Each structure stands twice: as C-alpha cells, then as structure tokens.
Amino acid sequence: MSMPLSGVSTTAAQPGQGAVAGTPAGPASPATQGLARIGRAVRSNRKATAGAALLAVFALVAIFPGVIAHDSPSADAYAPRLGPSTAHLLGTTAYGQDMWAQLVWGTRNVLIIALVVGLAATGIAVLIGVAAAYLGGLWDSSLSVLTDVLLVIPLFPLLIVIAGYAHGGSTLVLILVITFTSWSYTARQLRAQALSLRNRDFLEAARVRGERRLYIIAVEVIPTMTSLIVASFLTNALYAVLFASSLQYIGLGDPNTQSWGTMLYWAQNNAALQTGQPLWALAPGACIAALGAAFALLNYAFDEIGNPALRPVRRTRVKRAG
C-alpha cells in the first residue's frame, strides 16, 4: 500500500580488474567500476540525456533566480490581476505580485526538498535494507517488521495526518515528514538485492580475509548496487516533489514560502480558473510535471542500465545485395 515504483531490477557486478597504460594491472574498486559503467550507459541512453538536460535547466534556475527574475516574488508592488506582458511574463497575482518571479524563486525550494529527501530516504533505505539482509537473524526480522508496517499503511493519508499534527508546515517539517514515510519500499528492494549477493564468492573471500562486517557492507556490497541506489534516489526525489507540492496545495505547508505548491494554494484560494486567470495554476502545475518528467526519465534510464532485459531492442537495417 506504499508508493508505487517502477520495477527496478539489477544484476550485481562483481569486482573486476582494471589496468592503466604503463603500470601493472591492478584491481579496480567496485565503486569506481560501478560509476564508470553508469557513466558510459548514461551517455548512450536517450532517456537519461533528456532527463539530465531538463534537470540541469531547473538546477540553473534554482542557483541563479535573481539573474532570471529581477522582481521580488513577495513584493506586492504592481496592479493585481495583470495579464502577461513584456514587463510581467506571466502577469501578476491577486495581490499584485509578479508571477514569473514567484515561479523562478519557487524552483529553489522544490529542488531543495527533492534533493534532501532523496538523499535522506535513500540513505535510510540503504542502511536498513542492506544491514538487514547481510546481518540476518534477529536484525533481519526486526528491520523487516518495521519496513512491512510502513508498507501496509496508505502513504498519502499518513502524510496528511503527520503534517497536520506537525504545526508550522515549514520546509524542514515537510522534509522530515516525507523522509520518514518514503524509505520503506526502497529498503525492501535493496534488502532483496543484498540477499542475492550475500553468498557470492567475492564476499566469501572478504570474510576469509577477516574483514569486518561494516567493511564488507560498505566496500563490497553497496558499490555493486550502485545503479539500484541511484534509481532509488531518483524515485524518492520524484515523490518528494509530488508529495510536497500536494501538501502545500491543500494548505499543510507554509503559505508564505515561495514554492510551486504554495502558488497552487493561492491560485485555488483566489479562484484562478473561475476569474479567468488560468496561468496562476497552469504555470506551477506545468513546472511540477516537467520536473517530475525529468526524474522519471532518469529513473527509467537507470532501470534499463541495471537490467539489460528492459533495454529497447535496436534494429539494424540489412543492405540487400545489388
């Protein structure tokens, strides 16, 4: 009953050997191998290229909002309900604020939530999922029960309840609430993948060498799951954008925060569609959809990178003999 996720299936890559010209061949670390493999696959994947380009545009807007929008997003210095013009690209709100400035400055808040929740939720999932699978026994049973409890609870109603009781609705509150409720599905996937690795030869070799459990988990197990972990981060970031915007839209966020969700909240409160101001809702809605598409494209790309069975079949034309 938790959040849906596109099927991510990865095949663990065992540590291999790498050589540098002019030096003896030496073992390459699993992390280096995984990152190099992902880099090559991303460059050759159209979905990854499109998603990365779209995400880069939003990142630039979030980093340099003052360069793109010169007006203050909160200053009510203009006439209300102005239509689009060269002075105000998207018009003004019911309170005389520049819509373009609000849209641009709101990008930073959305990306901060997506990045922090993605990293935090994925980190918790890796810690719990991999540790449960490798340690086994009571650790596995206890952590699996905790994961299962969160999986059977409907996610969005749980978010509404927690956010409703967490008064304030600030960005930090939204980050904590979404992180707390969004790691369980990813942890289940990572646990399943780690279970398939537990008895591999390279892990047995590490145990024979006398390596500690923490070393084996951090250096041997996790780097072989790089593509799955990256895909999990992208999924968590995507759902963070959707959930944060939804909570802000229904009034559980801080209405004074510059964000796409609060723009939708004020558009609803001021009857944007009924008063002939569709841009108040369409502009932030389109940005949410575009950013979600960027994360989704990257997620699908990493699904294909981790699971060759998902990669599209490329047909080659056979020239007929003249």
Side-chain angles (χ1 to χ4, degrees):
M1 296 296 293
S2 184
M3 61 185 182
L5 178 65
S6 60
V8 182
S9 175
T10 58
T11 302
Q14 296 209 16
Q17 301 292 325
V20 178
T23 61
S29 68
T32 303
Q33 284 187 332
L35 292 175
R37 179 171 58 88
I38 288 175
R40 291 192 300 269
V42 167
R43 287 192 296 271
S44 62
N45 190 292
R46 294 179 181 177
K47 293 186 182 72
T49 303
L54 194 55
L55 186 59
V57 171
F58 284 111
L60 289 175
V61 173
I63 295 172
F64 306 107
V67 177
I68 301 171
H70 302 290
D71 294 313
S72 171
S74 57
D76 50 353
Y78 305 103
R81 302 180 185 275
L82 292 177
S85 64
T86 55
H88 307 287
L89 296 179
L90 297 176
T92 59
T93 67
Y95 307 102
Q97 299 158 327
D98 186 78
M99 278 282 299
W100 173 250
Q102 288 190 341
L103 194 70
V104 170
W105 283 93
T107 307
R108 177 177 293 178
N109 178 269
V110 175
L111 283 185
I112 287 175
I113 293 176
L115 179 64
V116 176
V117 171
L119 290 174
T122 304
I124 294 173
V126 170
L127 178 64
I128 292 179
V130 177
Y134 185 78
L135 297 178
L138 182 61
W139 282 99
D140 189 15
S141 301
S142 303
L143 295 175
S144 295
V145 168
L146 176 62
T147 303
D148 292 340
V149 168
L150 287 177
L151 281 174
V152 299
I153 300 176
L155 182 55
F156 193 66
L158 178 62
L159 278 171
I160 294 176
V161 171
I162 297 176
Y165 279 97
H167 299 291
S170 64
T171 299
L172 179 60
V173 170
L174 291 178
I175 289 173
L176 293 176
V177 168
I178 298 172
T179 300
F180 172 74
T181 57
S182 60
W183 59 266
S184 55
Y185 194 92
T186 305
R188 168 69 65 157
Q189 284 189 316
L190 292 170
R191 174 183 174 274
Q193 182 64 28
L195 282 174
S196 69
L197 297 173
R198 189 165 59 180
N199 297 320
R200 293 291 182 89
D201 292 340
F202 67 96
L203 294 184
E204 290 293 340
R207 297 188 193 100
V208 171
R209 294 197 308 266
E211 303 291 357
R212 297 182 178 180
R213 289 182 174 181
L214 180 60
Y215 174 88
I216 295 176
I217 292 174
V219 179
E220 300 289 349
V221 177
I222 292 178
T224 64
M225 304 165 63
T226 308
S227 59
L228 177 57
I229 292 173
V230 174
S232 300
F233 163 77
L234 293 169
T235 301
N236 288 327
L238 167 61
Y239 280 97
V241 172
L242 299 178
F243 288 145
S245 299
S246 299
L247 292 174
Q248 290 169 336
Y249 169 68
I250 63 178
L252 293 178
D254 183 0
N256 297 317
T257 301
Q258 297 301 328
S259 181
W260 299 338
T262 56
M263 291 179 69
L264 291 172
Y265 168 78
W266 287 114
Q268 179 194 30
N269 279 5
N270 294 309
L273 299 180
Q274 291 84 351
T275 57
Q277 299 290 343
L279 281 178
W280 293 358
L282 291 178
C287 286
I288 293 172
L291 183 58
F295 283 123
L297 285 170
L298 287 170
N299 191 14
Y300 294 148
F302 277 96
D303 282 353
E304 295 175 1
I305 292 170
N307 186 356
L310 298 176
R311 298 174 190 173
V313 178
R314 299 183 181 276
R315 298 182 179 179
T316 57
R317 294 182 179 180
V318 179
K319 293 183 180 181
R320 296 181 179 179

